[in-house]
Amino acid sequence: CGAGGGPRLLVCNPPFFPVGRGHLNPEPTKAHARHELNGDLAELLAAAAQGVRPGDALALIHDVRRASELFTEIGKLELWVAVRRDVVPLPGRAPRRLLLLLTRDMGPRIHLAPLILHEAPGVPSEALARMLGEETP
């Protein structure tokens, strides 16, 4: 939507890792995608939040191990967690990622059931197959 248009959905996939944590990929594009080489989490979220107007939503994914830091920064930016969904690699495993939908408008908080990516190693879950537009056997 252009200026003055209806509600917008902004999408943000900030790097999961601070500099100094994990292996820095030698390929620059992958290094920038995975590590905070262009700013830390607080700076990246603040930049993304600047575009969120009342009525808009900001969708993002992040590493669950940084949830506390993430929620602290979200609060500083006066954003509201409208929807949360944990992402689980396999049934019975701990979540590895968080999917969040943030708004400026306070309302009910929805915590969806976890998204399980695979039923078994190499076997996509029915939910993941639907998202990818694939049929399940």
Side-chain angles (χ1 to χ4, degrees):
C1 292
R8 300 173 306 161
L9 174 63
L10 295 91
V11 179
C12 180
N13 183 3
F16 294 159
F17 308 112
V19 174
R21 182 170 147 218
H23 170 72
L24 187 62
N25 196 298
E27 185 179 319
T29 303
K30 290 182 180 179
H32 283 274
R34 297 175 185 163
H35 282 84
E36 297 171 345
L37 301 177
N38 294 323
D40 65 16
L41 181 59
E43 294 168 324
L44 295 169
L45 287 174
Q50 286 180 357
V52 181
R53 307 174 306 205
D56 292 347
L58 172 63
L60 67 90
I61 183 170
H62 215 282
D63 190 317
V64 74
R65 294 172 292 186
R66 295 184 72 188
S68 178
E69 178 185 3
L70 184 63
F71 291 130
T72 296
E73 295 305 325
I74 288 167
K76 289 178 186 177
L77 297 167
E78 299 180 2
L79 292 172
W80 176 260
V81 178
V83 181
R84 173 185 173 157
R85 190 168 196 188
D86 296 340
V87 180
V88 178
L90 292 162
R93 298 268 181 96
R96 299 206 39 213
R97 304 284 182 253
L98 291 172
L99 295 172
L100 300 174
L101 187 67
L102 309 173
T103 67
R104 295 238 180 252
D105 312 303
M106 291 183 68
R109 290 182 184 205
I110 301 168
H111 195 150
L112 298 173
L115 170 61
I116 298 171
L117 297 179
H118 296 92
E119 295 301 327
V123 180
S125 68
E126 185 177 320
L128 180 60
R130 276 196 315 269
M131 287 178 179
L132 297 174
E134 299 172 0
E135 292 187 30
T136 56

